[in-house]
Amino acid sequence: MNDLFLIPSPESFENSRLTVDFGLRTALLKHRTAVVPCIGTVQFLRQMTWSLAAIYLCTESFDERTRRIQRISATVVANAIEALACKAMYNYASRDSFDFYGSRAFGRECSDGIFERRDVWTFGWLGQTKNYVQNTYRQSASAAIYALGLTEGSSRFNSMKLTPEGRNIAIEFLQQKVGDKTLKSFLSSWICNPKWVPSANSSAWKEFLGSVNPTLQTVSERMLYAAVFEKQVRYNGKQILMPRMKKCGSEKDLLANLKQSKEERYHTEILAAKAFDEFHNAVKKLFSGCVKLMDSNIYNLKDIEGRLKLEIKDVKERGESYLKFKEFAYGKVEVGEIIKSKFRKMLDLIISNNKSILIKTDMVMKGPLYAAAKDWSFELDRQKNNDKKWPLSRLRQWRNLCIDCGIC
């Protein structure tokens, strides 16, 4: 605590990671689960496969002594495989465009125009989070593989055990051919020899990178996931999601089909989620606008309120539209409190768990995570939703998974 100004120091905060759910995390999760259950925030199939393969290797390939000596865990192995696959996809020539995690980490490898770590592909290097990212695909895959019944026992990743369905997917992935070996054999050598890597120009190395590619699922891998989705991804116990993804080419088509089929509850569920999404986006814009004004040395609350009138109005209007869904508005308490509040209280509610902006009387000041919020705000401006056919992120995510496994 800074005694002079009574402002908490960074170390006074338990949370050192920026959160952008703005106190709406519970409602956000409920809407995601209601629209498409079990899939968590998984964006592509291999995101789960890498995790399943890591659990398989650590439980069935490496004995306890090897894991202890090599300091190997399912988490470390999953993160390393993921970092390897993403680095193989990274285009060092055009660093501005990259669809997977790690662009900043790989971009940092450049010093004075020379990529000093460009050719470093060892398990020892890629297994360290400082050389990749803190928030990995594995973290979001953990909840999904558990909810989909691909793992059992503990929900903690390092303690998970594979179910027969999860084991089948891991084996299908690991039995791919890499030269005269299997991927399982190649990965085991790579993991157990943390400083070893074959020649980058060898055909085996190129096959190795291709086999872990995030976009190149095997036919059998896709079929196995399709069977899991058929069994687990249901709305109120009914399989109404997959059949419609096969024949609906857009969100508009899906909503029309649901209405025509008298699936009114699920139809309303989607509309409520869309309304919540629009409210959440309005809150993001308001918060981002506040960060930009602070970056221009505007800290007075009245000045900020005056410059963000349109953003404040949008938050209130979007919130009112969302609350009309009543029983389907899972965040009605939080949203109701935000939209009925005056600006100071509204901002206080939005940033309460954020730790990037602090409010004192009639002023705002930079919190310990302000730099992270500034970076997030910049990235928000760069994001473009080019998929006008599937604007609701949850349905777009589900659509992409269905495409990945050949359902549509």
Side-chain angles (χ1 to χ4, degrees):
M1 184 76 74
N2 186 322
D3 294 328
L4 182 59
F5 296 104
L6 299 177
I7 301 170
S9 302
E11 60 270 18
S12 301
F13 293 103
E14 292 182 6
N15 183 12
S16 60
R17 191 176 290 172
L18 178 71
T19 59
V20 287
D21 52 50
F22 308 112
L24 300 166
R25 180 172 175 77
T26 300
L28 189 64
L29 293 175
K30 283 184 177 179
H31 280 296
R32 283 178 177 171
T33 303
V35 173
V36 187
C38 299
I39 64 172
T41 53
V42 169
Q43 300 172 46
F44 52 92
L45 294 184
R46 277 283 165 92
Q47 189 174 343
M48 294 184 285
T49 302
W50 293 331
S51 294
L52 295 172
I55 295 171
Y56 180 93
L57 289 170
C58 285
T59 55
E60 300 195 32
S61 291
F62 306 134
D63 57 33
E64 185 178 348
R65 183 173 180 274
T66 301
R67 293 198 301 271
R68 186 175 65 255
I69 293 173
Q70 299 287 349
R71 295 183 179 180
I72 295 171
S73 69
T75 296
V76 173
V77 172
N79 290 353
I81 294 173
E82 177 184 322
L84 173 77
C86 290
K87 184 169 181 172
M89 295 291 287
Y90 186 66
N91 188 334
Y92 283 87
S94 56
R95 288 178 285 159
D96 290 337
S97 177
F98 190 60
D99 293 331
F100 299 95
Y101 288 172
S103 59
R104 289 191 178 185
F106 306 141
R108 283 199 305 267
E109 296 173 0
C110 179
S111 177
D112 297 326
I114 301 172
F115 288 96
E116 297 175 344
R117 300 290 181 177
R118 179 174 182 170
D119 297 321
V120 179
W121 297 86
T122 63
F123 174 79
W125 175 261
L126 291 173
Q128 300 179 57
T129 55
K130 67 178 182 179
N131 300 323
Y132 177 47
V133 295
Q134 292 290 329
N135 299 324
T136 62
Y137 286 123
R138 192 271 312 164
Q139 288 170 301
S140 51
S142 297
I145 60 177
Y146 187 76
L148 287 167
L150 299 174
T151 63
E152 60 186 1
S154 174
S155 59
R156 293 183 67 254
F157 189 72
N158 281 338
S159 301
M160 285 180 175
K161 304 294 181 185
L162 297 180
T163 61
E165 292 86 350
R167 190 171 185 275
N168 287 340
I169 293 172
I171 290 173
E172 172 59 30
F173 173 71
L174 292 168
Q175 70 183 6
Q176 294 179 88
K177 285 293 182 182
V178 178
D180 58 353
K181 298 181 179 180
T182 62
L183 175 58
K184 176 186 173 183
S185 176
F186 214 95
L187 272 174
S188 296
S189 298
W190 182 67
I191 293 166
C192 290
N193 300 281
K195 295 184 179 180
W196 170 82
V197 68
S199 170
N201 295 321
S202 68
S203 58
W205 176 248
K206 292 176 182 176
E207 287 180 28
F208 175 49
L209 294 182
S211 65
V212 298
N213 188 293
T215 64
L216 300 179
Q217 306 85 9
T218 69
V219 174
S220 295
E221 191 180 345
R222 289 175 175 175
M223 291 174 63
L224 289 168
Y225 275 114
V228 170
F229 290 160
E230 172 72 36
K231 179 181 177 182
Q232 299 288 354
V233 185
R234 294 168 174 257
Y235 180 74
N236 280 354
K238 297 168 63 178
Q239 183 47 270
I240 62 176
L241 286 83
M242 284 179 63
R244 285 168 174 79
M245 276 295 150
K246 293 179 182 179
K247 57 185 178 182
C248 296
S250 68
E251 185 181 294
K252 185 178 179 181
D253 291 343
L254 174 63
L255 288 168
N257 182 282
L258 290 168
K259 200 166 186 178
Q260 187 177 10
S261 305
K262 296 184 178 179
E263 294 288 355
E264 294 177 3
R265 185 172 182 84
Y266 188 50
H267 179 270
T268 307
E269 198 82 72
I270 292 174
L271 292 179
K274 284 175 66 64
F276 179 80
D277 220 29
E278 289 169 358
F279 171 76
H280 194 211
N281 287 335
V283 172
K284 287 180 182 178
K285 290 176 184 176
L286 175 61
F287 175 75
S288 178
C290 187
V291 170
K292 289 174 186 174
L293 289 175
M294 291 176 68
D295 203 45
S296 299
N297 297 320
I298 298 173
Y299 300 102
N300 185 278
L301 274 170
K302 284 189 177 180
D303 291 341
I304 292 175
E305 182 178 6
R307 292 167 185 256
L308 295 177
K309 285 182 179 179
L310 291 177
E311 287 82 355
I312 295 168
K313 181 182 177 184
D314 195 35
V315 166
K316 290 182 178 291
E317 289 179 350
R318 299 290 183 182
E320 288 168 358
S321 297
Y322 170 67
L323 293 179
K324 292 177 182 178
F325 286 93
K326 298 179 180 178
E327 66 171 300
F328 292 91
Y330 305 124
K332 57 188 173 186
V333 175
E334 297 87 349
V335 174
E337 192 173 1
I338 288 173
I339 66 172
K340 74 181 181 183
S341 301
K342 292 184 178 180
F343 179 66
R344 189 194 187 287
K345 177 66 174 175
M346 177 188 288
L347 187 60
D348 197 30
L349 289 168
I350 289 171
I351 66 172
S352 60
N353 297 312
N354 194 275
K355 309 298 186 290
S356 58
I357 300 174
L358 304 175
I359 298 178
K360 186 178 181 183
T361 316
D362 60 347
M363 301 287 288
V364 293
M365 55 190 69
K366 297 176 181 179
L369 299 182
Y370 177 78
K374 184 179 173 181
D375 287 345
W376 174 83
S377 180
F378 176 73
E379 290 296 326
L380 186 67
D381 285 345
R382 294 183 60 187
Q383 290 175 4
K384 292 181 180 178
N385 177 17
N386 295 320
D387 193 348
K388 295 181 180 179
K389 290 185 176 181
W390 298 93
L392 183 60
S393 58
R394 187 60 163 188
L395 288 176
R396 184 167 64 252
Q397 176 193 352
W398 172 235
R399 175 77 175 181
N400 290 338
L401 289 175
C402 287
I403 291 172
D404 263 8
C405 64
I407 294 172
C408 52

